[in-house]
């Protein structure tokens, strides 16, 4: 960091004891010292690991992912088979009521997704690395796998801990653009039970398991 004292130390000996001369140098040089320090601090202010608020929003502009994302509205409208959204509890959905809303991500969540977006921008197109990126977003208790269907489509399975609705919206609405060109995402299947693998035959692991263990996934 630049210091005014570094410049004052360069005043010739014949002028060092002249208070007015010194004051003129201080008044002239201090703005340049402040400007130098401000410019030197900018890389850290816009570093994805350190940026906050408006600076992090600007990083998002460079990376290509805005802080505001659209997510489905859940837990609001009347529905059967839900103890908290039944009669006298859930709101009756009218014809023009919205089915989704916009949410602004907090800094920590936004930073996590920006890092995933940066990796996605350099993605090699392989299914395994796609799963690695998604697992890095969702955390250790959520297990993501990608299946190549052999017909220019892929299926994304999400087992274990059910991710937050905002994270699922990031995936299903293409904010990360995680798919090879010309390949479509046929299904995104999520376990309906926290901690449960998806139901499947001939496999028994954290992602897929059979009867009495695996859960019938829901398509989002």
């Amino acid at each position: 960091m630049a210091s005014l004292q570094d410049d004052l130390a360069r005043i010739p000996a014949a002028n060092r004891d002249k208070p007015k001369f010194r004051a003129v140098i201080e008044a002239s040089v201090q703005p340049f010292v402040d400007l130098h320090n401000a410019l030197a601090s900018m890389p850290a202010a816009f570093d994805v690991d350190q940026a906050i608020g408006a600076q992090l929003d600007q990083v998002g502009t460079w990376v290509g992912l805005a802080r505001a994302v659209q997510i489905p509205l859940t837990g609001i409208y009347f529905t059967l088979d839900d103890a908290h959204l039944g009669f006298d509890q859930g709101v009756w959905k009218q014809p023009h009521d919205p089915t989704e809303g916009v949410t602004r991500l907090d800094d920590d969540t936004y930073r996590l997704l920006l890092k995933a977006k940066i990796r996605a921008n350099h993605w090699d197109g392989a299914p395994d690395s796609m799963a690695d990126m998604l697992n890095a977003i969702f955390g250790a208790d959520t297990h993501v796998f990608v299946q190549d269907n052999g017909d220019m489509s892929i299926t994304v399975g999400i087992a274990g801990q059910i991710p937050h609705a905002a994270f699922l919206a990031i995936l299903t609405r293409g904010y990360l653009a995680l798919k090879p060109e010309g390949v479509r995402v046929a299904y995104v299947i999520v376990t309906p039970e926290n901690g449960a693998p998806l139901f499947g035959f001939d496999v028994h692991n954290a992602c897929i398991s059979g009867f009495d263990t695996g859960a019938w996934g829901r398509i989002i």
Side-chain angles (χ1 to χ4, degrees):
M1 179 178 290
S3 171
L4 178 61
Q5 298 305 315
D6 295 335
D7 296 287
L8 295 179
R10 294 184 172 87
I11 297 176
N15 304 104
R16 287 178 185 170
D17 59 347
K18 305 297 191 294
K20 291 184 178 180
F21 183 88
R22 185 182 182 90
V24 169
I25 297 299
E26 289 179 354
S28 301
V29 174
Q30 185 65 59
F32 295 99
V33 173
D34 294 341
L35 178 60
H36 180 279
N37 289 333
L39 292 174
S41 69
M42 289 184 70
F46 291 94
D47 185 283
V48 69
D49 289 313
Q50 303 181 49
I52 59 174
Q55 285 78 22
L56 197 60
D57 289 338
Q58 188 59 53
V59 174
T61 299
W62 294 334
V63 171
L65 180 62
R67 185 189 290 268
V69 297
Q70 289 186 315
I71 62 172
L73 294 177
T74 59
I76 298 176
Y77 298 121
F78 169 84
T79 183
L80 297 174
D81 301 323
D82 190 312
H84 303 289
L85 292 175
F87 291 103
D88 299 325
Q89 292 176 308
V91 176
W92 287 96
K93 184 180 182 301
Q94 301 302 315
H96 301 292
D97 285 344
T99 58
E100 59 185 29
V102 177
T103 184
R104 285 181 57 82
L105 304 174
D106 62 83
D107 280 349
D108 290 338
T109 303
Y110 190 34
R111 180 177 293 108
L112 180 64
L113 293 174
L114 284 178
K115 290 182 177 181
K117 179 63 173 176
I118 292 170
R119 293 182 63 185
N121 289 345
H122 298 275
W123 180 42
D124 61 4
D128 289 345
S129 54
M130 175 182 176
D132 290 341
M133 277 187 278
L134 294 176
N135 279 314
I137 298 174
F138 295 146
D141 294 329
T142 299
H143 312 294
V144 181
F145 62 93
V146 178
Q147 176 178 293
D148 186 344
N149 298 321
D151 59 356
M152 297 300 291
S153 73
I154 57 175
T155 295
V156 179
I158 303 175
Q161 182 70 30
I162 300 174
H164 187 277
F167 286 1
L168 291 177
I170 289 288
L171 173 61
T172 58
R173 297 180 182 277
Y175 287 106
L176 295 180
L178 278 178
K179 72 178 189 66
E181 190 66 30
V183 173
R184 63 188 177 90
V185 178
Y187 302 103
V188 177
I189 303 175
V190 182
T191 179
E193 301 176 17
N194 268 329
L198 292 170
F199 176 81
F201 293 110
D202 300 324
V203 180
H204 183 71
N205 54 33
C207 297
I208 302 174
S209 191
F211 291 107
D212 299 327
T213 304
W216 291 99
R218 60 185 180 92
I219 299 174
I220 60 172

